[in-house]
Amino acid sequence: PDAIVVTNQGGAVAPAVADHGMMMLLAMARRTADIVARSARHEWSKDFTPPLISLEGRTLAIVGYGHIGRQLARRAAGFDLRIVGIARSPIDDPLVAEAAPMSALRETLGSADFVALCVASSAATRHLFDARAFEAMKPGACFINLTRGETVDQVALKQALTSGRLAGAFIDVTEPEPLPPDDPLWEAPNLIISPHTAGAGGTRTGARISEVVTRNLRLFLAGEPLAHRIRP
């Protein structure tokens, strides 16, 4: 097995996932779930708690600045969000107003109105967002998770929402998946859960995956190193 080279799709799904991320941010800022529920009840009300806000001029911290993080930053910049990037490696992106290492995660979170978790799953990122991370966030901030459920302590997330520390959260991934119908997380206030569908619907995703596979096949036949290696 050690001789087997494993590669991934090289960010082919990232644009679709980033689209989903922008939907999450807008849904919380503009209270979409409340509006839909009131519309279904034929209810006309302009009272929202938390209130409606605009993305313009707010700060978005993107935790994990890989393919998904970069694509999300591109979209967020179009809404005049100030981008803070937090990553293990140095960030070279003109869209980023401020960059910080992952070791400074908690010290950096307090400046963000929105936090997007875009990290891969590993031993180092398991429950990266625990009670201390949520406590470090700005009171009234909103949180999204786009990548892996095990990166979040769901008990701590529910507590942060129940206490009002967070104004809202929207997650596309849980631990486990599917999330059991009786899991307490479903009852957390101001939480929306999508069923790990962020990568769906990308019209060019398949073409990008085919390009990666074709390129790696050519590299393999030529005896050259493969692109987008995971291991070894």
Side-chain angles (χ1 to χ4, degrees):
D2 291 340
I4 298 174
V5 177
V6 179
T7 68
N8 64 24
Q9 38 78 21
V13 185
V17 177
D19 285 354
H20 200 85
M22 282 308 308
M23 180 274 294
M24 291 168 147
L25 298 175
L26 286 163
M28 290 187 292
R30 307 306 298 172
R31 307 302 301 170
T32 301
D34 290 341
I35 291 171
V36 170
R38 291 175 188 183
S39 179
R41 296 193 300 264
H42 304 183
E43 177 184 336
W44 183 284
S45 174
K46 296 184 179 182
D47 296 326
F48 294 92
T49 304
L52 297 175
I53 61 172
S54 171
L55 298 185
E56 181 184 11
R58 308 278 177 172
T59 296
L60 167 65
I62 299 176
V63 183
Y65 212 78
H67 295 295
I68 294 171
R70 288 181 182 276
Q71 289 289 337
L72 181 60
R74 288 179 58 187
R75 287 153 177 75
F79 285 84
D80 292 327
L81 279 157
R82 177 178 178 270
I83 308 299
V84 174
I86 305 172
R88 291 177 301 171
S89 305
I91 297 172
D92 181 16
D93 189 337
L95 295 177
V96 174
E98 178 186 348
M102 198 67 76
S103 59
L105 173 66
R106 293 179 199 149
E107 294 85 346
T108 310
L109 288 175
S111 67
D113 302 288
F114 297 90
V115 174
L117 185 55
C118 303
V119 298
S121 178
S122 69
T125 61
R126 177 167 178 77
H127 288 188
L128 179 66
F129 269 73
D130 55 11
R132 290 177 295 177
F134 288 122
E135 288 167 5
M137 289 176 60
K138 177 188 289 188
C142 292
F143 172 80
I144 70 174
N145 186 7
L146 279 168
T147 45
R148 291 291 180 264
E150 56 268 23
T151 61
V152 173
D153 179 341
Q154 293 176 174
V155 173
L157 173 60
K158 185 175 186 292
Q159 177 57 34
L161 288 163
T162 302
S163 69
R165 180 74 186 188
L166 297 183
F170 198 148
I171 59 175
D172 187 56
V173 286
T174 61
E175 184 186 25
E177 292 185 4
L179 190 66
D182 60 350
D183 192 287
L185 187 64
W186 288 109
E187 302 302 322
N190 295 313
L191 172 66
I192 306 173
I193 302 174
S194 55
H196 206 148
T197 53
T203 57
R204 296 198 62 245
T205 299
R208 279 190 293 268
I209 292 174
S210 296
E211 290 168 4
V212 171
V213 171
T214 301
R215 179 189 176 199
N216 267 339
L217 181 57
R218 288 172 177 162
L219 290 171
F220 177 78
L221 293 174
E224 298 179 11
L226 303 186
H228 310 299
R229 294 165 66 111
I230 298 175
R231 68 172 180 83

